[in-house]
Amino acid sequence: MLFTMILGTAVFAASVWLSLVDLLGSFCKNVGTNSNAAADVFFLVSAGFFFGLQFVMYPDIWGLAYIFIVFNVGILAMQWFLLVGSAVFTKKHIYRLTNFLTFKKYDYEDVIGYVMKNTSGTARSKYSSRKVISFDVEIYLLDDQFISFSTKNSSDKKISHIKGLLKEHHCRANGKIKKKPWLMR
């Protein structure tokens, strides 16, 4: 029973930490991340909800608490997918978040090129469909890695700041790596 409590608390703490880090990153103009503030608040509230349900079940039906731990692990996995490939841009360096949630340091000379473009798609619901437009940023690095994130529109202050840093360091636009597997980050 104590193991269940420790495991649930560790997963909840990791989920809260990732939500807070991502929430802070969505407000900073130097951080390129795929998540937004609403998604981070949703992850934070849902992780707290499942952790609370785990505590309600713990004294009497502690075996059922594992279901809520699995839900929190799912939330943690979704946060991981949103964070991997994010980056922090400083005046001299770029710090890319790796699969192990550690930062790898790059110089601006390591940038092969970058692509910033509007993409669109159709979101369909049961009764209607609507066109969704987003602004995607892909920055390709020398070691066959890339940074990718998207924002709602191209007039975002974050986009203009990052584009200014890339132009200041004479990074090429439209340069790409030869291959881009879907999980290579």
Side-chain angles (χ1 to χ4, degrees):
M1 288 192 331
L2 183 62
F3 176 73
T4 306
M5 179 75 124
I6 292 170
L7 180 66
T9 304
V11 170
F12 172 71
S15 181
V16 167
W17 180 76
L18 286 181
S19 291
L20 292 176
V21 166
D22 201 19
L23 185 64
L24 180 66
S26 64
F27 289 123
C28 294
K29 68 179 181 178
N30 290 357
V31 179
T33 182
N34 278 324
S35 189
N36 57 16
D40 295 329
V41 170
F42 170 74
F43 288 140
L44 195 60
V45 168
S46 59
F49 176 72
F50 291 132
F51 187 62
L53 286 177
Q54 173 194 338
F55 265 113
V56 168
M57 297 293 168
Y58 179 71
D60 300 324
I61 318 169
W62 63 271
L64 192 58
Y66 282 110
I67 294 173
F68 301 115
I69 292 173
V70 169
F71 288 155
N72 263 346
V73 167
I75 290 170
L76 195 62
M78 286 188 286
Q79 290 171 324
W80 179 80
F81 277 116
L82 286 174
L83 277 174
V84 170
S86 300
V88 177
F89 298 87
T90 63
K91 293 278 187 194
K92 296 182 180 182
H93 302 289
I94 300 171
Y95 298 93
R96 184 182 63 85
L97 202 59
T98 64
N99 288 336
F100 300 107
L101 296 180
T102 58
F103 285 104
K104 185 171 182 183
K105 181 178 167 183
Y106 292 96
D107 291 326
Y108 282 96
E109 289 82 29
D110 295 334
V111 174
I112 294 172
Y114 64 92
V115 176
M116 295 184 177
K117 61 184 176 186
N118 281 321
T119 57
S120 65
T122 304
R124 294 191 167 107
S125 65
K126 187 174 182 179
Y127 300 109
S128 66
S129 63
R130 62 185 171 97
K131 189 173 184 178
V132 178
I133 298 173
S134 67
F135 190 76
D136 294 337
V137 176
E138 294 178 349
I139 301 171
Y140 301 99
L141 302 168
L142 201 57
D143 61 348
D144 288 338
Q145 300 293 323
F146 66 97
I147 299 165
S148 67
F149 59 93
S150 61
T151 60
K152 196 169 190 172
N153 55 20
S154 62
S155 62
D156 193 1
K157 290 180 183 178
K158 183 182 294 198
I159 297 297
S160 62
H161 179 72
I162 291 172
K163 190 172 186 177
L165 283 173
L166 290 169
K167 283 186 176 182
E168 179 182 316
H169 291 283
H170 308 291
C171 297
R172 286 184 347 169
N174 297 328
K176 291 188 177 184
I177 55 179
K178 293 187 182 3
K179 57 184 178 177
K180 186 174 90 172
W182 67 277
L183 197 56
M184 184 178 71
R185 289 188 171 199

